[in-house]
Amino acid sequence: MNNLDDLTMFAAVVEAGGFRLAAHRNRMSASSLSDAVRRLEDSLDVRLLNRTTRSVTPTEAGQRLLQRIRPALAEIAEAVDGVASDSGRPSSTLRLNVPTIVADYILPQIAARFLAAHPGVRLDIVAQDSFVDVLAAGFDAGIRYEESIAQDMIAIPIGPRRQRFAVCAAPAYLERHGTPRHPRELADHAKLGYRFAGGALSVWDFERETRRIRVVPDGPLIASSWPMVRTAAIAGLGVVAGFEEHLRAEVESGALIRILADWQTDFSGPFLYYQTRRHMPPPLRAFVDFVRKAENPA
């Protein structure tokens, strides 16, 4: 058959769940992908995709074809990448799904060093705080905190091994309302909340010795934009809680004052996780090796 490219494009459309996202991932036009799938359907004389205005899904015949060609396409991609890998320079794209805290404060320096060491690799990083099935969404790997990683994944440490939350308020707010000395006193304070993209509200957990207290923010502002929540705290609208990294600059400048620090305990840092694979894509293998070496330098 002379339609290997069309088969590859068909698989890309199914994996992406539509022509537009597949076009974006492969840096080509949606019309070119549509033409490729149509040529393939004409050559096979069978409909491979169910197309509606809202979704694109494989027909039964399309699903059977995809199951048969996936291993072959993976082998071809590995062979092509192997040409570059043989010279010690893996190529192609590595797609990662990471939390915004990691994208903003942890990954930039790691990514810069990795790309300098592997100029043939292109990083495609999506930052989002909602939990996603990274493999179903077309990512090679993800970065998350330990409690949200499925047990069938391989996880390796990346970035700082211990992190902390911080609770802060503006000096003017504390002058008006007083400084809470115990988490239970937050019941009398305005608590600014952050909502994850998936809809869950970020709750505040406090711990000291054997005592644990959970506080649900219910103040005048709850937003899925962290800069909005932080700015509201600086303006004196209430108390805010978040990663130390999110609040460090404001604490150092005096715009915010840290409170209840003796109730804040360390927690485990993030992990790079990926599925066990017999044939790991060369860019992912290179990144895993790079991260392992950074965590355990010779």
Side-chain angles (χ1 to χ4, degrees):
M1 297 178 66
N2 297 319
N3 50 12
L4 178 59
D5 287 343
D6 293 347
L7 286 167
T8 302
M9 293 181 190
F10 161 70
V13 171
V14 177
E15 295 287 353
F19 289 94
R20 182 173 299 179
L21 181 55
H24 173 72
R25 290 179 179 176
N26 291 274
R27 290 179 287 178
M28 60 189 307
S29 68
S31 61
S32 297
L33 286 172
S34 181
D35 290 342
V37 173
R38 189 174 294 109
R39 280 196 306 270
L40 187 60
E41 289 178 325
D42 290 343
S43 67
L44 298 175
D45 194 24
V46 64
R47 183 161 53 89
L48 299 173
L49 295 178
N50 290 316
R51 303 168 176 84
T52 70
T53 56
R54 295 186 177 182
S55 66
V56 175
T57 57
T59 63
E60 183 179 350
Q63 189 63 46
R64 289 200 309 270
L65 176 63
L66 186 64
Q67 290 175 353
R68 295 292 300 274
I69 67 174
R70 265 177 175 160
L73 293 177
E75 291 288 346
I76 293 172
E78 184 177 0
V80 172
D81 282 332
V83 173
S85 298
D86 289 342
S87 63
R89 299 182 60 174
S91 63
S92 75
T93 299
L94 172 62
R95 301 191 73 241
L96 300 176
N97 183 282
V98 307
T100 54
I101 180 69
V102 172
D104 292 344
Y105 296 98
I106 296 175
L107 198 53
Q109 291 187 357
I110 296 174
R113 295 196 303 270
F114 172 72
L115 291 174
H118 300 280
V121 176
R122 176 175 179 260
L123 283 179
D124 185 350
I125 298 169
V126 174
Q128 59 184 129
D129 291 321
S130 57
F131 300 127
V132 300
D133 183 336
V134 293
L135 298 179
F139 295 96
D140 297 297
I143 297 177
R144 283 291 181 270
Y145 288 85
E146 191 171 12
E147 66 275 6
S148 60
I149 299 176
Q151 293 184 352
D152 61 346
M153 293 288 181
I154 296 176
I156 62 173
I158 184 171
R161 295 327 312 137
R162 305 303 298 175
Q163 290 183 264
R164 288 169 62 93
F165 279 108
V167 182
C168 302
Y173 175 88
L174 297 176
E175 289 177 8
R176 293 194 307 269
H177 302 282
T179 301
R181 305 298 179 183
H182 191 283
R184 297 195 188 282
E185 295 179 16
L186 290 172
D188 300 323
H189 288 265
K191 298 175 287 295
L192 307 174
Y194 174 76
R195 189 178 299 281
F196 295 108
L201 184 64
S202 176
V203 298
W204 305 355
D205 289 317
F206 297 90
E207 182 177 349
R208 188 165 69 182
E209 297 175 349
T210 60
R211 290 172 291 177
R212 295 182 180 182
I213 299 173
R214 171 164 287 190
V215 174
V216 178
D218 57 358
L221 175 68
I222 295 176
S224 58
S225 166
W226 174 252
M228 180 179 290
V229 176
R230 182 173 52 201
T231 299
I234 295 171
L237 295 181
V239 180
V240 65
F243 285 93
E244 277 186 332
E245 291 88 347
H246 277 148
L247 298 163
R248 181 173 291 129
E250 287 70 28
V251 170
E252 291 177 351
S253 70
L256 292 174
I257 295 177
R258 187 165 184 177
I259 60 176
L260 299 171
D262 56 337
W263 281 88
Q264 294 297 302
T265 59
D266 293 350
F267 58 89
S268 179
F271 291 81
L272 171 70
Y273 70 100
Y274 52 96
Q275 188 181 46
T276 303
R277 297 184 183 182
R278 181 182 175 186
H279 301 293
M280 186 182 294
L284 177 57
R285 167 53 64 194
F287 190 65
V288 168
D289 291 343
F290 179 85
V291 171
R292 287 186 185 277
K293 185 176 180 180
E295 291 294 327
N296 301 285

